[in-house]
């Protein structure tokens, strides 16, 4: 399924996604972005990683994606550690299960699979923004940004006590923190906001939750 410019896998119970001849040497975990918003009738479920076939040897502890209440997709980044000693070439299958879901009911949305070595699993903090990075008029970013393909249409950016804030009709206002990259802000770890300029003026914003990207135009 394509939604808002992004491609999604929508597995039902018993469905699987397979990758052939993956070299798991040095691979420590698989990172996935998934969501099960209950407002769209997703049931949630269990994800299992098998080798060789959909019912082959388990290569990791099963992970669960629970239905998320409220508005929006509320995607989660799952980290699936692969069992020690799993090396070499394998056909890899991600199997999706929920014995209580209706046969026709989708369990979740899945937005990506990233096979990670040890270095990629390390949590790397962003360096602190230098004072020079913050010499920008926050009012340049203030305004309403229109999106399509999301549970909300308008994202409002405003300032409050010298802090850049973001809000939609579905969520409470949240702070945006500067990063070392110009015009890019951290939405308190939930998403990045990268403002797009045209002829030097802010004309849009790229909203980037984990594993996704949506472009909003400034009204």
């Amino acid at each position: 399924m394509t939604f808002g410019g992004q491609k999604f896998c929508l597995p039902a119970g018993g469905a699987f996604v397979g990758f052939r001849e993956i070299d798991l040497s040095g691979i420590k975990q698989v990172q996935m972005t998934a969501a099960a918003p209950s407002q769209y009738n997703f049931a949630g479920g269990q994800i299992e990683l098998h080798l060789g076939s959909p019912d082959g040897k388990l290569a990791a502890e099963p992970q669960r994606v629970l239905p998320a209440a409220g508005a929006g997709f509320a995607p989660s980044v799952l980290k699936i550690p692969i069992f020690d000693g799993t090396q070499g070439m394998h056909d890899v299958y991600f199997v999706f299960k929920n014995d209580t879901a209706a046969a026709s009911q989708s369990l979740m949305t899945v937005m990506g699979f990233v096979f990670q070595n040890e270095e990629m699993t390390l949590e790397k903090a962003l360096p602190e923004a230098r004072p020079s990075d913050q010499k920008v008029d926050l009012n340049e970013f203030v305004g309403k940004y229109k999106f399509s393909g999301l549970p909300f249409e308008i994202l409002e950016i405003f300032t409050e006590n010298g802090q850049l804030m973001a809000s939609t009709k579905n969520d409470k206002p949240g702070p945006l923190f500067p990063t070392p990259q110009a015009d890019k802000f951290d939405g308190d770890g939930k998403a990045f906001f990268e403002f797009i300029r045209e002829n030097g003026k802010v004309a849009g914003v790229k909203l980037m939750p984990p594993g996704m990207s949506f472009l909003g135009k400034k009204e």
Side-chain angles (χ1 to χ4, degrees):
M1 175 182 176
T2 299
F3 180 83
Q6 300 294 308
K7 294 186 182 299
F8 295 81
C9 169
L10 304 175
F16 61 83
V17 174
F19 297 89
R20 296 195 180 278
E21 297 186 354
I22 296 294
D23 188 356
L24 295 179
S25 300
I27 299 300
K28 297 298 182 182
Q29 71 179 22
V30 180
Q31 179 175 292
M32 296 175 55
T33 304
S38 56
Q39 72 172 119
Y40 297 113
N41 198 35
F42 288 97
Q46 180 168 287
I47 304 171
E48 298 178 354
L49 194 160
H50 293 260
L51 301 182
S53 69
D55 57 357
K57 179 181 177 181
L58 272 174
E61 290 290 341
Q63 303 289 317
R64 292 198 65 83
V65 176
L66 299 176
F73 275 89
S76 299
V77 178
L78 304 178
K79 297 179 180 180
I80 307 175
I82 294 177
F83 291 149
D84 290 342
T86 305
Q87 301 289 324
M89 303 292 290
H90 296 274
D91 293 344
V92 177
Y93 291 86
F94 296 89
V95 182
F96 303 87
K97 296 181 177 180
N98 185 332
D99 294 337
T100 63
S104 60
Q105 188 175 17
S106 293
L107 304 187
M108 65 192 73
T109 67
V110 179
M111 291 148 269
F113 304 83
V114 182
F115 292 82
Q116 297 182 322
N117 59 22
E118 185 170 5
E119 182 180 1
M120 295 171 70
T121 65
L122 299 176
E123 296 289 344
K124 298 180 179 179
L126 285 170
E128 292 186 7
R130 300 181 298 274
S132 59
D133 293 328
Q134 303 182 52
K135 291 180 180 178
V136 60
D137 183 0
L138 295 181
N139 290 314
E140 293 185 42
F141 308 112
V142 169
K144 293 183 178 180
Y145 296 80
K146 187 174 183 179
F147 288 81
S148 60
L150 286 175
F152 59 86
E153 183 179 21
I154 300 297
L155 171 71
E156 185 174 1
I157 303 293
F158 60 97
T159 60
E160 185 176 277
N161 298 323
Q163 171 76 59
L164 201 64
M165 306 287 289
S167 177
T168 72
K169 68 177 183 179
N170 298 328
D171 300 303
K172 295 180 179 179
L176 303 184
F177 301 98
T179 74
Q181 183 175 330
D183 294 341
K184 187 173 184 179
F185 291 78
D186 181 354
D188 201 20
K190 299 176 182 177
F192 282 103
F193 295 71
E194 184 174 353
F195 292 90
I196 310 300
R197 293 181 182 269
E198 294 179 3
N199 299 320
K201 294 185 178 181
V202 175
V205 64
K206 188 184 296 183
L207 175 61
M208 296 179 287
M212 298 185 287
S213 177
F214 302 94
L215 183 62
K217 295 289 187 181
K218 191 173 184 181
E219 292 192 320

